[in-house]
Amino acid sequence: MKAPTLHAVATAVALLSLHAAVSAQQAADENKDGKQQLEAVVVTGIRASLEKSMTAKRNANTNVEVISAEDVGKMPDKNIADAISRVSGVNVQYGGANAMDEAERVAIRGTAPSLNLVTINGHAVSAGDWHVGDQSAGNAVSSRSVGFGLLPSQLIGQTLVYKNQRADLTEGGLAGSVDVLMRKPLDMKVGLSGEAALGAVYSDLPGKTDPQASVLLSWKSPDKRFGVIAQAFKEDRSLRRDGQETFSYTALTSAQALSLAGGNATTAAGLVGKRLPNQFNTTMFEGERKRTGGFLALQWRPTDQLDLSLSGFSSELKAINYNSSGFLTLNNLMAGGWQLSNAVIDGDVITGGKLTRPTGSTTNALGLEYDHFLRDGARSTSRFYDVDVKYTPTQNLTLTGRIGTTEGGGYTSRQPNIVLAVVNPNVAWQMNTTRPTDWSISDASGKAIDLSNIANYQLMNANLPAITSLDKENYVHADGELKLGDGLFSSLKFGLRSAVHKRDVDVITSRWTLQDAPGATAPFTTAITGGALINQAAYPMSLPNPATALPSDYASGLDGTFPRNLLRFDQSQLAAFADKYQYWDPVGGKQWNSGYGLKETSNALYAMTEFDADKLSGNVGLRAVQTQVDTTSYTQLPGNICAALAPCTVNGAIVGSRFGTFVPATTSTKHTAWLPSLNLRWDVDSKLVARASVSRSLGRPNYNELAGALTINSNTLIASMGNPLLKPITANNGDLSLAWYFAPRASLSGSLFTQRLSNYVKPVTEVATLEDPSAPGTMRQYTLTKRIGLNARLNGAEVALEMPVGQGFGFSTNATYVSSRDADGQPMLGSSKWTYNLVGFYENDKFNARLAWNWRDDYAYTVIGDGSGVTKQDLKGNYLINGLHYFKGYGSLALSLGYKFTEQVSVTFDANNLNNPVRHTYMLTENAPSNWYESGRQYYVNVRMKF
């Protein structure tokens, strides 16, 4: 693919800077005394951060990246995930909301976030998800990975990205792991210090400014035996995402093609197998993120041999959000007999055309569905509590221990909603590969339908879930290091880890108060093709008069011609409507088969020896891991065996839900893995360091992939379920790297890496007939996704340059290449072929500036069908489209400025997404575009004070 011209400019600037830097540094490098003087210079801010990171990376005997704070409470980026993404081999991804104003998860060397381990101070962390799509049992994005939205960057002292496995590292990161290190009280430089930041963030798309504040206090006794760190934060932010979405495509069967062609066999023949877009969605997502919490650490060193620490962290993110989605449903009109004219075909995709209701038709079909979903109780939490002990009984023996617990939760307490329908419209569309689709909607006379007039809509039936997702882990670590003296083997490290992890997801589906009222016997809905309308004659529900509409600047960054004047309820109207007509009953509304319970017990032992033979050093070790997984899922009994709310004699039956009677099913599996590792470091000379690594690593499937829970979406006709028999994913890894430290605070490095994966989890999809949870007793066809394990492979290369230019200027740049394939010959999820970073900075005693550009190529993020890339047919002749859903490559530009008035007072300015990227996706091929998203820019201003 052709990269943007900004890439060429960045490359030219980098080459010119490299030439100037080498010339400027040459004289200093030739004078050893001069070099020593340079190393003795005390630097602060950006340069100090880079020097600290480079020193740690250079001294490591494995391939590791280090991101260090520029000062107390100041990381290189406002977001930890963004800061990590500046190093080679790391990408960022987003959560289920696709609200791309803030990175939430990290992926290492082409593997998905769920296959990478994130720890804090070396231990696991549970962090709940704020968006309902990530909380659900059907989510395959984040149930194992950690979202950084709950971790403010002010807490962080240093972040380590391990790209090689070592025996003493906690298992769980297949391609690598991220360890976020918080500060310890006795490591602070002075006895009493503090730091406070007060500022605001302006988000230009919602057009709102929100306050942000944090404060840190640290104290240690004069004898440096006892210390305390206390930190609190409160950060508010508004978000908005304008978009257009195409949820899926249908490959036309002969019968469907003949119907669309009005019975013309010749025309139909040209349509068979072609992909028809199913929907075009005009969507606006908005919300708020109110993050509050704190960190407390106590450290006591009563003797030189004993060190005791107690730490705790708590964070809550309140994330009220509101989504409006008005989408054409071409698939429903096709099913209702609408006929296609003016068809435009590009390859195997019907990219343009018009669907018209045949004259005399009596079929009623849903043509546009307009959803208004409010999650007014959405929030997520994360916390941990640790007790750490370090004991040095002898000069050569050090013992450490930790006992702790972490828990997180994701909560959507309810989803007040109004879903409207436009019945029997005619529609026209023209798709584009470089911008959103043009589409229009009209009545039988050809007049455009006014989507701002509520009289043109009817009330639809919809039942939305309230979800609680709880995550908890208790852990014990015990480690030791025995120094062996001056021989070949310098030390022996050994230890154990035991953890019990629990994951529980509960789903409560809404009901209508009138539907369940005493004496309600009339049919509640009237079925139409593609949905069900509320029987307003028997169950009158007064709709509020919409208080607003989509804003005048809606989709101003999306260059497409489609309706933008849609009506919109405000949040208070949706809440009031739900208070009157909808309810979420924790007993009668519980959808047992959409939730699950999981207990994962892991025990690990390891031994590792470090060796040093002059210029050659490293470590070799073995880690043994046993994992037991106990899952509980629920199966709905057929109504003719046990009807909902009726007594049931089936053993273990759970009665009480209006959605049916359920029975639990438990599965238990146990797996043992042996994970050897060898890491070598060779100091070729004083400036050149070579490293090599071979290892076996282990990752684990997402929790929802292990659970057998069945999740059904009645609107999209999509269902998913897990597989409790999945095995842990393992990989055989190889890594070669070379780093040249050719000048102070300067380096050029490169690496080659490879992975061979077993039991790589991939969804497979089939058409299944299931009961509609929104209409008990009604059977419908759903696209059902299941999971299996197969083989995959990955190869890649990295190159990175860190360069001070002189006079306070400097830059860093890196590129990563990854080639991955699974057993079907398809790319692995989350894998971009190319990723680039370019960061330039300037700094003097008062002022600093940094400009950062990040680019990543196309990458697959979900599976369509079985993901094989081969279209198949089921027993009924329906085509099953199989392949991958891709994000198109995109870049983002970030700016950071700082000015120091005194040593105690400074001001910072940070800006994200300065280029205001429109990110979009496509399905299988680029001539089948899917989603287009604009999230706007964010500007942060903070005044920082310290003493």
Side-chain angles (χ1 to χ4, degrees):
M1 61 177 297
K2 185 176 180 180
T5 56
L6 183 56
H7 289 176
V9 174
T11 302
V13 171
L15 291 174
L16 288 172
S17 300
L18 176 60
H19 179 269
V22 171
S23 300
Q25 293 289 342
Q26 187 173 6
D29 290 342
E30 293 173 351
N31 188 316
K32 294 182 179 179
D33 294 335
K35 178 182 177 182
Q36 184 60 41
Q37 290 172 2
L38 283 172
E39 290 178 342
V41 171
V42 177
V43 294
T44 59
I46 296 175
R47 289 171 292 173
S49 169
L50 294 175
E51 184 174 26
K52 186 177 180 180
S53 298
M54 188 175 298
T55 299
K57 178 179 173 66
R58 181 173 184 172
N59 293 336
N61 56 17
T62 59
N63 196 342
V64 61
E65 301 287 352
V66 183
I67 301 95
S68 300
E70 297 169 11
D71 198 352
V72 176
K74 182 65 175 79
M75 285 291 285
D77 289 86
K78 284 295 296 180
N79 178 282
I80 300 174
D82 281 327
I84 297 173
S85 72
R86 307 296 178 206
V87 302
S88 61
V90 178
N91 292 125
V92 297
Q93 290 186 208
Y94 304 89
N98 281 321
M100 296 168 187
D101 55 338
E102 183 178 51
E104 294 188 25
R105 292 172 172 83
V106 297
I108 301 175
R109 287 183 163 179
T111 57
S114 61
L115 297 179
N116 301 300
L117 180 68
V118 175
T119 58
I120 293 184
N121 297 333
H123 66 75
V125 58
S126 293
D129 293 301
W130 62 271
H131 185 254
V132 64
D134 294 328
Q135 296 165 356
S136 72
N139 162 56
V141 176
S142 63
S143 72
R144 178 77 69 171
S145 64
V146 173
F148 285 94
L150 283 160
L151 300 174
S153 62
Q154 300 95 316
L155 296 174
I156 310 307
Q158 197 173 66
T159 301
L160 305 178
V161 181
Y162 293 96
K163 298 179 180 178
N164 297 149
Q165 181 65 31
R166 292 187 343 194
D168 61 339
L169 293 178
T170 300
E171 75 284 348
L174 200 68
S177 60
V178 177
D179 191 19
V180 179
L181 302 179
M182 295 184 171
R183 291 179 172 82
K184 291 186 176 182
L186 296 184
D187 291 340
M188 302 301 285
K189 293 180 179 180
V190 297
L192 178 64
S193 62
E195 188 268 345
L198 181 63
V201 54
Y202 173 72
S203 303
D204 72 346
L205 195 56
K208 295 181 180 180
T209 301
D210 298 292
Q212 301 200 326
S214 66
V215 60
L216 178 148
L217 292 173
S218 70
W219 173 85
K220 61 182 177 182
S221 62
D223 61 1
K224 302 179 181 180
R225 294 291 187 185
F226 181 76
V228 181
I229 285 181
Q231 188 163 13
F233 56 88
K234 177 174 174 53
E235 298 179 334
D236 296 351
R237 193 163 61 81
S238 300
L239 65 134
R240 179 176 137 190
R241 184 214 66 206
D242 295 354
Q244 186 190 90
E245 298 171 322
T246 298
F247 298 138
S248 59
Y249 288 77
T250 294
L252 299 178
T253 63
S254 298
Q256 290 169 331
L258 193 62
S259 175
L260 285 171
N264 187 314
T266 302
T267 302
L271 299 176
V272 175
K274 300 296 187 293
R275 286 187 281 164
L276 177 75
N278 287 335
Q279 309 89 6
F280 297 120
N281 183 25
T282 297
T283 176
M284 189 179 95
F285 179 94
E286 63 179 353
E288 59 185 35
R289 295 180 181 177
K290 296 181 179 293
R291 180 168 58 191
T292 57
F295 172 70
L296 178 66
L298 308 175
Q299 188 176 6
W300 181 36
R301 191 176 292 154
T303 69
D304 291 340
Q305 291 75 38
L306 182 63
D307 191 310
L308 304 171
S309 297
L310 174 66
S311 59
F313 166 78
S314 179
S315 178
E316 180 182 49
L317 181 67
K318 294 182 179 179
I320 294 173
N321 60 90
Y322 175 22
N323 192 36
S324 296
S325 297
F327 50 96
L328 290 181
T329 56
L330 277 65
N331 54 330
N332 293 330
L333 299 180
M334 175 182 67
W338 269 238
Q339 294 178 6
L340 175 66
S341 60
N342 303 326
V344 178
I345 298 176
D346 179 9
D348 67 335
V349 179
I350 303 174
T351 59
K354 182 176 181 180
L355 287 176
T356 306
R357 191 184 192 209
T359 302
S361 172
T362 59
T363 300
N364 294 313
L366 173 64
L368 182 140
E369 178 178 328
Y370 194 12
D371 298 342
H372 303 266
F373 296 162
L374 171 65
R375 293 102 186 196
D376 54 3
R379 65 188 179 94
S380 60
T381 61
S382 179
R383 59 181 61 93
F384 67 80
Y385 309 98
D386 288 335
V387 176
D388 291 89
V389 180
K390 181 179 180 181
Y391 178 51
T392 309
T394 71
Q395 185 177 1
N396 295 325
L397 179 63
T398 301
L399 303 174
T400 59
R402 170 183 292 136
I403 183 170
T405 184
T406 179
E407 57 185 39
Y411 308 88
T412 297
S413 58
R414 65 175 194 165
Q415 293 192 71
N417 66 89
I418 295 176
V419 177
L420 303 175
V422 175
V423 180
N424 297 336
N426 297 325
V427 302
W429 76 98
Q430 180 57 58
M431 304 177 73
N432 306 277
T433 59
T434 58
R435 62 179 180 84
T437 295
D438 301 326
W439 63 266
S440 61
I441 182 170
S442 59
D443 60 20
S445 68
K447 180 182 178 181
I449 296 175
D450 183 3
L451 299 179
S452 67
N453 186 354
I454 196 170
N456 291 324
Y457 297 90
Q458 300 181 56
L459 182 62
M460 279 188 68
N461 183 39
N463 302 93
L464 300 185
I467 299 178
T468 299
S469 175
L470 299 178
D471 197 85
K472 182 175 182 179
E473 180 167 310
N474 297 323
Y475 47 85
V476 176
H477 297 207
D479 302 273
E481 180 177 8
L482 178 63
K483 296 181 180 178
L484 302 178
D486 297 330
L488 173 63
F489 296 99
S490 57
S491 69
L492 174 66
K493 293 184 176 182
F494 52 91
L496 61 86
R497 174 183 177 271
S498 181
V500 177
H501 194 107
K502 294 183 179 180
R503 179 87 169 192
D504 294 283
V505 175
D506 287 326
V507 178
I508 309 298
T509 300
S510 65
R511 300 281 296 183
W512 297 93
T513 54
L514 296 181
Q515 177 185 18
D516 295 332
T521 57
F524 186 69
T525 60
T526 300
I528 60 174
T529 301
L533 304 177
I534 300 292
N535 182 358
Q536 288 275 49
Y539 302 92
M541 286 181 259
S542 178
L543 285 172
N545 187 37
T548 182
L550 294 179
S552 59
D553 65 345
Y554 167 74
S556 59
L558 303 179
D559 183 20
T561 303
F562 54 92
R564 288 170 163 80
N565 64 332
L566 280 70
L567 61 84
R568 201 165 194 247
F569 304 99
D570 66 25
Q571 295 186 18
S572 63
Q573 289 180 311
L574 290 175
F577 184 81
D579 291 340
K580 188 173 183 180
Y581 297 118
Q582 298 166 340
Y583 73 104
W584 284 261
D585 180 358
V587 178
K590 187 159 185 177
Q591 198 84 45
W592 286 88
N593 57 343
S594 293
Y596 67 89
L598 180 145
K599 178 182 177 182
E600 183 179 82
T601 303
S602 58
N603 296 296
L605 295 169
Y606 77 88
M608 183 181 80
T609 183
E610 295 187 328
F611 53 87
D612 192 340
D614 193 16
K615 292 187 176 184
L616 182 65
S617 60
N619 59 68
V620 60
L622 178 65
R623 189 176 187 93
V625 182
Q626 185 180 79
T627 305
Q628 178 171 324
V629 180
D630 302 298
T631 62
T632 301
S633 57
Y634 302 90
T635 301
Q636 183 174 348
L637 293 173
N640 60 341
I641 297 178
C642 287
L645 303 179
C648 181
T649 59
V650 175
N651 187 36
I654 301 172
V655 179
S657 171
R658 291 180 177 273
F659 293 99
T661 299
F662 303 87
V663 292
T666 59
T667 304
S668 182
T669 61
K670 183 180 290 187
H671 306 280
T672 300
W674 299 89
L675 308 177
S677 61
L678 171 64
N679 295 282
L680 299 175
R681 168 198 167 103
W682 179 30
D683 292 309
V684 182
D685 57 32
S686 61
K687 296 181 179 181
L688 197 61
V689 179
R691 293 182 178 88
S693 174
V694 289
S695 66
R696 185 172 175 81
S697 57
L698 176 144
R700 295 185 174 99
N702 273 317
Y703 299 116
N704 62 289
E705 292 172 334
L706 289 167
L710 176 64
T711 300
I712 298 176
N713 187 316
S714 299
N715 290 328
T716 61
L717 299 181
I718 293 175
S720 65
M721 64 182 299
N723 179 359
L725 301 180
L726 288 172
K727 299 178 181 179
I729 307 102
T730 57
N732 294 326
N733 314 295
D735 187 286
L736 292 172
S737 65
L738 186 65
W740 177 34
Y741 300 91
F742 56 88
R745 297 193 300 276
S747 69
L748 175 65
S749 62
S751 63
L752 301 172
F753 55 89
T754 184
Q755 280 192 310
R756 295 296 181 267
L757 292 80
S758 299
N759 303 312
Y760 170 70
V761 179
K762 185 175 181 180
V764 294
T765 303
E766 61 187 28
V767 175
T769 301
L770 304 169
E771 185 174 32
D772 185 347
S774 66
T778 301
M779 306 303 291
R780 304 180 71 181
Q781 281 194 334
Y782 290 83
T783 301
L784 175 65
T785 302
K786 301 188 295 185
R787 274 81 176 175
I788 62 171
L790 42 75
N791 295 329
R793 59 181 176 83
L794 181 151
N795 300 302
E798 300 168 349
V799 61
L801 175 65
E802 298 274 356
M803 172 64 70
V805 179
Q807 303 301 316
F809 288 94
F811 75 93
S812 63
T813 183
N814 60 66
T816 303
Y817 171 82
V818 174
S819 174
S820 67
R821 288 288 182 270
D822 62 24
D824 293 322
Q826 297 294 300
M828 292 172 57
L829 297 183
S831 176
S832 286
K833 182 166 288 187
W834 283 102
T835 302
Y836 312 92
N837 281 287
L838 178 61
V839 180
F841 68 86
Y842 170 76
E843 182 178 49
N844 60 27
D845 292 340
K846 293 288 187 180
F847 175 74
N848 67 76
R850 176 194 285 107
L851 189 64
W853 168 253
N854 172 271
W855 169 271
R856 70 176 302 185
D857 268 353
D858 304 16
Y859 67 94
Y861 77 106
T862 57
V863 168
I864 301 170
D866 64 16
S868 65
V870 178
T871 299
K872 304 174 183 177
Q873 284 185 290
D874 64 14
L875 296 176
K876 296 182 178 180
N878 297 313
Y879 284 101
L880 301 176
I881 300 174
N882 302 304
L884 299 174
H885 192 174
Y886 293 88
F887 260 106
K888 183 67 177 173
Y890 55 84
S892 62
L893 187 67
L895 173 68
S896 179
L897 303 174
Y899 186 80
K900 187 186 296 183
F901 295 98
T902 68
E903 289 298 322
Q904 290 74 38
V905 181
S906 62
V907 62
T908 61
F909 171 80
D910 296 276
N912 291 339
N913 293 322
L914 278 174
N915 56 323
N916 194 24
V918 173
R919 299 178 171 98
H920 83 271
T921 70
Y922 58 91
M923 295 186 175
L924 276 69
T925 52
E926 294 192 49
N927 63 335
S930 179
N931 306 330
W932 305 79
Y933 296 121
E934 176 191 14
S935 296
R937 308 171 183 89
Q938 302 79 42
Y939 305 95
Y940 299 81
V941 176
N942 277 278
V943 176
R944 301 177 61 243
M945 297 156 284
K946 62 180 181 177
F947 64 88

